[in-house]
């Protein structure tokens, strides 16, 4: 899959996109992340991409022209399944949304800034608005990085152990079971005996029980709130 991220702060995204899971996915040829500097598309001689809002409100608003031209340039090259705008008033980003987006061929993520973007862009070009949580970030770059990471890591083959993305927290609307590694006894803190028993069926049953118990205790809302 290909993700095109449009931003006024490309230097903020480059460390995320070239390293860790995103870097690995790209070197394996399973994903491509391209970061575009919105200022490269402005017709303003001072490279400005924002202006004062009509109505005398406070703050600055990202203008239509650079965003429209940048999206048009990308769309001239290929078809896009979604043009996403990162915004605190968008739909909540969840594992289900990450899974769904990972099946797309090409997506654009437009990072918001200042007071937001001219609403006409939202009406005419944006297909989906996504928030990563009920708090306000300075810009959409961190939200875009979070989304790209969560989406790319569930593409089959990106994570070495195929199973591990599937057994992540939230994949079945449940939290993960606790995990342990050697030594089995550290300062008298013992790993549960069942995990050392070698009995696969019992271990699986223990894991499911742990998932259910931890979810009931820590995130009961997940059990009442089945997502697809
Ligand atoms: N931009 C600012 N705050 C945001 C949030 N919570 N999610 C997505 N984009 C944002």
């Amino acid at each position: 899959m290909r993700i095109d991220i449009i931003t006024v702060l490309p230097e903020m995204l480059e460390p995320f996109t070239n390293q860790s899971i995103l870097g690995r996915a790209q070197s394996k040829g399973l994903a491509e992340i391209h970061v575009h500097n919105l200022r490269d598309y402005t017709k303003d001689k001072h490279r400005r991409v924002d202006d004062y809002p009509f109505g005398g409100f406070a703050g600055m608003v990202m203008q239509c022209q650079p965003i429209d031209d940048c999206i048009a340039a990308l769309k001239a090259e290929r078809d896009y399944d979604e043009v996403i705008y990162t915004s605190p008033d968008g739909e909540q980003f969840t594992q289900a949304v990450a899974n769904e987006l990972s099946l797309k061929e090409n997506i654009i993520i437009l990072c918001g800034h200042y007071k937001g973007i001219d609403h006409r862009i939202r009406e005419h070009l944006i297909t989906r608005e996504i928030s990563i949580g009920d708090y306000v970030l300075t810009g959409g770059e961190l939200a875009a990085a979070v989304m790209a990471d969560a989406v790319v890591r569930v593409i089959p083959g990106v994570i070495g152990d195929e199973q591990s993305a599937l057994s992540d927290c939230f994949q079945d609307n449940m939290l993960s079971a606790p995990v342990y590694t050697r030594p089995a006894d550290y300062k008298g803190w013992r790993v549960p005996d069942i995990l050392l028993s070698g009995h696969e069926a019992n271990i699986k049953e223990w894991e499911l029980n742990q998932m259910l118990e931890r979810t009931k205790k820590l995130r009961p809302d997940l059990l009442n709130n089945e997502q697809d």
Side-chain angles (χ1 to χ4, degrees):
M1 91 174 287
R2 176 182 168 118
I3 304 177
D4 287 277
I5 304 178
I6 305 173
T7 169
V8 288
L9 290 175
E11 63 281 6
M12 190 168 164
L13 278 162
E14 260 129 36
F16 286 103
T17 52
N18 296 331
Q19 277 161 45
S20 72
I21 217 78
L22 297 180
R24 193 163 0 135
Q26 291 184 89
S27 48
K28 284 185 178 174
L30 296 168
E32 276 180 52
I33 321 271
H34 297 269
V35 177
H36 306 275
N37 187 346
L38 188 62
R39 290 187 204 285
D40 293 342
Y41 294 86
T42 179
K43 294 198 165 88
D44 181 82
K45 62 174 187 285
H46 304 294
R47 303 216 341 133
R48 278 183 55 175
V49 292
D50 60 334
D51 208 336
Y52 294 98
F54 284 122
F57 302 111
M60 301 297 275
V61 175
M62 288 164 76
Q63 292 172 289
C64 286
Q65 177 272 314
I67 299 173
D68 185 25
D69 284 4
C70 182
I71 292 175
L74 292 172
K75 284 184 172 172
E77 297 293 323
R78 65 197 68 76
D79 291 333
Y80 283 91
D81 303 296
E82 298 281 8
V83 182
I84 297 166
Y85 172 53
T86 60
S87 173
D89 54 15
E91 79 180 277
Q92 178 89 32
F93 188 62
T94 60
Q95 187 64 56
V97 175
N99 295 349
E100 185 199 333
L101 292 177
S102 75
L103 302 174
K104 311 279 184 193
E105 199 78 36
N106 301 310
I107 63 175
I108 292 174
I109 305 178
L110 169 65
C111 302
H113 245 271
Y114 315 112
K115 266 283 169 210
I117 58 174
D118 190 305
H119 201 72
R120 290 167 290 185
I121 294 290
R122 297 172 77 160
E123 287 171 337
H124 295 284
L125 297 179
I126 300 298
T127 61
R128 202 155 175 177
E129 304 188 334
I130 299 183
S131 162
I132 62 160
D134 286 342
Y135 39 80
V136 179
L137 300 164
T138 315
E141 285 71 21
L142 289 173
V146 165
M147 284 165 46
D149 185 289
V151 167
V152 167
R153 72 190 297 285
V154 290
I155 296 173
V158 167
I159 290 190
D161 174 3
E162 286 278 337
Q163 272 305 306
S164 75
L166 293 177
S167 61
D168 280 343
C169 234
F170 300 118
Q171 275 298 6
D172 300 308
N173 270 339
M174 282 213 268
L175 304 184
S176 305
V179 290
Y180 303 87
T181 188
R182 283 179 291 186
D185 187 334
Y186 176 73
K187 296 203 292 192
W189 305 343
R190 289 192 45 78
V191 168
D193 286 337
I194 180 90
L195 295 180
L196 310 174
S197 69
H199 195 298
E200 246 179 71
N202 289 357
I203 292 173
K204 194 87 216 140
E205 194 188 326
W206 174 88
E207 185 191 21
L208 277 173
N209 269 329
Q210 289 287 321
M211 288 165 68
L212 199 58
E213 287 310 313
R214 294 187 79 235
T215 311
K216 266 195 219 158
K217 188 169 158 211
L218 301 170
R219 290 294 305 274
D221 56 301
L222 292 176
L223 297 171
N224 310 327
N225 182 17
E226 280 284 310
Q227 297 167 22
D228 40 318

